[in-house]
Amino acid sequence: MLRLVDALPEPEVAAPRVVGVDEYATRKGRHYGTVLVDIETRRPVDLLPNREASSLAAWLADRPGVEVVCRDRAPFFAEGAAVGAPQAVQVADRWHLWHNLSEAAERAVSQHRHCLRALVPETPEPDPASVQEETPSDSPWPTGHRFADRTRARHAAVHALLEAGHSLRSVQRQLGMAWHTVKRFADASKPEDLFTGQWQDRPSVLDDYKSHLDDRWNEGFTNAWKLWEEIVPLGYKGSYQRVRAYLHKKRTSPRPVSARPPSPRTVSGWILRRPETLSEPEQLQLKTIRTQCPELDALTRHVRSFATMLTDRHGERLPEWLDAVRQDDLPSLHTLAAGIDRDLNAVIAGLTLPWSSGAVEGHVNRIIMWNLICQDHWQCQRLLARSWWEGG
């Protein structure tokens, strides 16, 4: 059946006027090809075995009727279109422009994550006097600690038997304890005298790093393993278990636990969405952040201005938008603006003309699906393209 299909004559395809171009991977990271689609009919026109600018330029040079080239912002497609079809208008895809802005916005929010703590209400510190009353001043271990309670219970049992007239040997047999242990309990007038060695508040190898752990904990980062990995490069020589035990005390502390601030991705999502689609709590939180952080307020204004320019097709406003972005301290948007400057005409066309690369993306997905099915990638892609040309 494949041989019969392959023997069919090549179908006649009208020369396209508006062409969409994009890359696809036959083996991700190694082998790439190029698909060309007639945007007006939404049908594939040809497949190129690579994504080189020279291949695209040669293909376009053979078709002087091409007037518009829709593409993403890959430099090799921009170069190939400029060389092969200098008469054509290059149009940068709007989805890719919005995607690039979304990534820049999330990076900007991450760089000002300290402003997000404005949404976390301050928790009152516990009264030091009440904490002092809970722990006896003469006991290094509070009631409820299993080792301390066990020591107190054994001390009481030993002294009760001794007061009843039993000898040390008799106490040893009845309690199942070593004679030297019974002697040590008998010589201690109170249980706290036995809290020596491991019971003492000795210096720990973690002491120098507790301030770092406390700061990270207050920032909302509570993963013990990740925090251990952070302090090891700082010189910490102790074990992970010691870090976990220290953080366990914080988790089980009776002090109120403060709420965690929203993540940068969540806040960037609020900024990127239409204001009317935000719930009332989200609107209030975003307003609080904008009040506390001038940089994020400027970011929100720039994102919404770009969104209006994109949806209403006002590409002529792009130079003004770029100048406004450069006036604020937003390095991630400055990087985006520099990239847009290198491709300014295509971006303005993308924000103005009705053409886009949406149809190309759909065909790329189909090619990827067939790559997973077919072993002979190139042959199957030719057969698949032929079926599309014939309306299959």
Side-chain angles (χ1 to χ4, degrees):
M1 179 63 70
L2 293 177
R3 286 196 298 271
L4 291 174
V5 174
D6 193 38
L8 293 174
E10 295 287 344
E12 293 293 334
V13 180
R17 187 178 67 91
V18 183
V19 174
V21 57
D22 201 358
E23 63 181 8
Y24 64 92
T26 56
R27 188 173 183 183
K28 190 172 183 180
R30 296 194 178 186
H31 304 301
Y32 288 89
T34 300
V35 59
L36 296 113
V37 178
D38 187 337
I39 298 299
E40 292 181 304
T41 62
R42 306 182 73 86
R43 291 181 177 275
V45 177
D46 206 348
L47 296 171
L48 305 180
N50 55 53
R51 58 175 180 177
E52 300 296 331
S54 57
S55 299
L56 177 61
W59 190 92
L60 291 172
D62 293 338
R63 295 161 179 81
V66 175
E67 299 177 5
V68 179
V69 177
C70 300
R71 58 172 177 81
D72 58 20
R73 299 177 60 205
F76 40 84
F77 288 149
E79 179 184 352
V83 174
Q87 79 285 354
V89 176
Q90 298 187 38
V91 178
D93 184 59
R94 288 185 292 276
W95 183 90
H96 289 91
L97 292 173
W98 184 253
H99 180 67
N100 294 338
L101 179 63
S102 302
E103 293 178 332
E106 185 172 346
R107 289 195 300 270
V109 176
S110 296
Q111 292 166 357
H112 296 86
R113 63 171 63 243
H114 60 277
C115 298
L116 308 185
R117 294 200 61 83
L119 302 178
V120 180
E122 296 184 1
T123 55
E125 292 293 331
D127 186 7
S130 62
V131 176
Q132 186 70 21
E133 292 176 0
E134 294 176 359
T135 304
S137 58
D138 59 345
S139 176
W141 288 90
T143 302
H145 193 287
R146 60 191 183 95
F147 295 112
D149 290 347
R150 184 178 64 185
T151 301
R152 292 188 179 98
R154 288 184 174 180
H155 182 272
V158 169
H159 281 264
L161 292 175
L162 291 175
E163 291 175 0
H166 294 274
S167 64
L168 294 179
R169 292 292 182 184
S170 176
V171 173
Q172 173 192 354
R173 288 192 300 269
Q174 294 184 54
L175 299 181
M177 300 168 59
W179 185 87
H180 291 287
T181 303
V182 173
K183 181 68 165 59
R184 187 160 55 87
F185 273 84
D187 294 340
S189 59
K190 58 182 182 297
E192 285 70 26
D193 294 341
L194 300 169
F195 294 165
T196 59
Q198 63 175 329
W199 302 93
Q200 295 176 350
D201 188 15
R202 296 178 296 177
S204 168
V205 294
L206 190 62
D207 289 343
D208 294 337
Y209 309 95
K210 287 181 178 179
S211 60
H212 176 83
L213 296 178
D214 293 341
D215 292 340
R216 296 290 281 147
W217 180 275
N218 294 332
E219 293 174 1
F221 197 82
T222 60
N223 187 297
W225 182 267
K226 295 294 184 181
L227 290 175
W228 173 72
E229 290 182 335
E230 286 186 8
I231 63 176
V232 166
L234 301 179
Y236 175 66
K237 303 297 184 182
S239 64
Y240 156 72
Q241 286 76 12
R242 192 181 296 271
V243 176
R244 184 180 64 178
Y246 178 72
L247 297 180
H248 179 72
K249 292 180 181 178
K250 287 180 169 293
R251 288 191 179 90
T252 57
S253 172
R255 296 185 179 185
V257 180
S258 59
R260 298 181 65 176
S263 66
R265 174 166 294 186
T266 299
V267 176
S268 62
W270 297 343
I271 295 174
L272 292 163
R273 285 162 54 189
R274 291 178 179 269
E276 62 270 16
T277 64
L278 297 175
S279 64
E280 185 174 351
E282 291 172 342
Q283 292 179 8
L284 293 175
Q285 292 182 84
L286 181 58
K287 182 178 180 180
T288 302
I289 293 174
R290 296 180 64 180
T291 303
Q292 297 292 329
C293 185
E295 291 80 7
L296 295 187
D297 179 60
L299 173 67
T300 304
R301 288 188 283 103
H302 294 318
V303 168
R304 291 179 174 176
S305 175
F306 190 91
T308 302
M309 181 169 52
L310 185 147
T311 54
D312 295 343
R313 307 287 176 79
H314 292 305
E316 71 279 0
R317 300 179 183 175
L318 182 61
E320 180 183 350
W321 183 84
L322 294 174
D323 292 338
V325 164
R326 294 188 180 96
Q327 300 301 319
D328 294 307
D329 185 18
L330 296 168
S332 60
L333 286 192
H334 293 173
T335 303
L336 176 65
I340 290 177
D341 273 336
R342 292 191 292 268
D343 203 16
L344 184 61
N345 292 333
V347 175
I348 292 177
L351 297 175
T352 306
L353 301 178
W355 309 111
S356 71
S357 302
V360 187
E361 297 294 340
H363 289 299
V364 169
N365 290 335
R366 294 186 183 93
I367 293 174
I368 293 174
M369 179 189 68
W370 277 84
N371 281 338
L372 297 176
I373 299 174
C374 302
Q375 295 297 322
D376 190 355
H377 293 212
W378 180 242
Q379 184 69 12
C380 289
Q381 288 157 17
R382 288 179 59 84
L383 295 175
L384 179 61
R386 178 172 298 173
S387 68
W388 289 336
W389 293 337
E390 296 174 352

